[in-house]
Amino acid sequence: MHPFNRRTQRRQSGSVVVNAVIALSLLVIVLVGTELGYLFFLKRELQKTADLAALAGAQVLEGESCTAATAAAIANAAQNLPPGLAPVGTDSVACGHWDPISRPTAPHFGPPESGQRLNAVRVTINRTPALLLAGIPGNQPRPIGVDALAAQKHPLAALNIRSTLVSVDTTQSPLLNAVFGGLLGDRK
């Protein structure tokens, strides 16, 4: 064998180890990125679920009773919760009063004071999802917590839309005949 071939062979065997280390490093980075992306996606889905549940509860909130609002929030959360997570219970839904004037610190929510009615629903969801890559050393379950608050507001204006475009009073038909006849060019 020629000595030049042995040198080339030694260089090639060393480059395989370097390439393998680089490939494994890239694989670990992709797997960790996938795990983080999944957790961010899940947090967004939980926030969406909490937002929709709070809105559903606030829409049916009446006076001093929180029963209908709690039931509506739980039913809405059950429809929107990502699969594989525990359902939302009554301990996750709270009714109260939202008022930024009497409660200047955020979230401006608390139990109603005397003379106040329930006007807001708060939904809190805390879950610890299963890991995609449980076998990676140091990868531990991470809890995800989201909170949503929806309040009823008194409308500033009201709009009524009717399906009737024109209403015709038959007692005024001679007058209407004259008006429409003049507009359409009555030919007699």
Side-chain angles (χ1 to χ4, degrees):
M1 235 176 158
H2 194 267
F4 180 71
N5 288 339
R6 287 186 201 154
R7 287 184 198 155
T8 307
Q9 188 176 17
R10 278 190 225 138
R11 280 191 216 139
Q12 289 177 352
S13 66
S15 66
V16 170
V17 173
V18 171
N19 287 337
V21 168
I22 291 172
L24 286 175
S25 299
L26 289 174
L27 182 64
V28 168
I29 290 170
V30 168
L31 292 175
V32 170
T34 302
E35 182 80 32
L36 288 175
Y38 169 71
L39 291 175
F40 282 117
F41 167 76
L42 201 55
K43 181 170 182 166
R44 184 64 217 135
E45 289 297 308
L46 287 175
Q47 185 65 56
K48 177 187 74 171
T49 300
D51 291 343
L52 292 172
L55 286 170
Q59 287 178 349
V60 297
L61 192 60
E62 295 178 5
E64 303 300 320
S65 176
C66 188
T67 307
T70 301
I74 290 172
N76 190 288
Q79 292 176 347
N80 293 302
L81 199 65
L85 296 178
V88 173
T90 56
D91 58 335
S92 297
V93 180
C95 297
H97 188 77
W98 181 84
D99 186 9
I101 296 170
S102 65
R103 292 183 175 91
T105 57
H108 315 294
F109 177 79
E113 297 170 1
S114 63
Q116 292 180 334
R117 297 172 44 122
L118 297 174
N119 73 345
V121 175
R122 184 177 189 173
V123 177
T124 305
I125 302 175
N126 295 308
R127 298 290 183 268
T128 304
L131 296 174
L132 292 176
L133 307 167
I136 294 179
N139 196 9
Q140 300 173 355
R142 290 171 179 80
I144 298 175
V146 295
D147 188 30
L149 178 65
Q152 294 176 337
K153 298 278 286 186
H154 295 292
L156 299 176
L159 174 65
N160 291 327
I161 298 175
R162 295 177 24 176
S163 62
T164 306
L165 180 63
V166 176
S167 177
V168 177
D169 184 5
T170 57
T171 62
Q172 301 292 328
S173 62
L175 178 63
L176 288 173
N177 285 338
V179 170
F180 282 117
L183 289 173
L184 298 174
D186 186 20
R187 296 182 187 180
K188 289 185 180 183

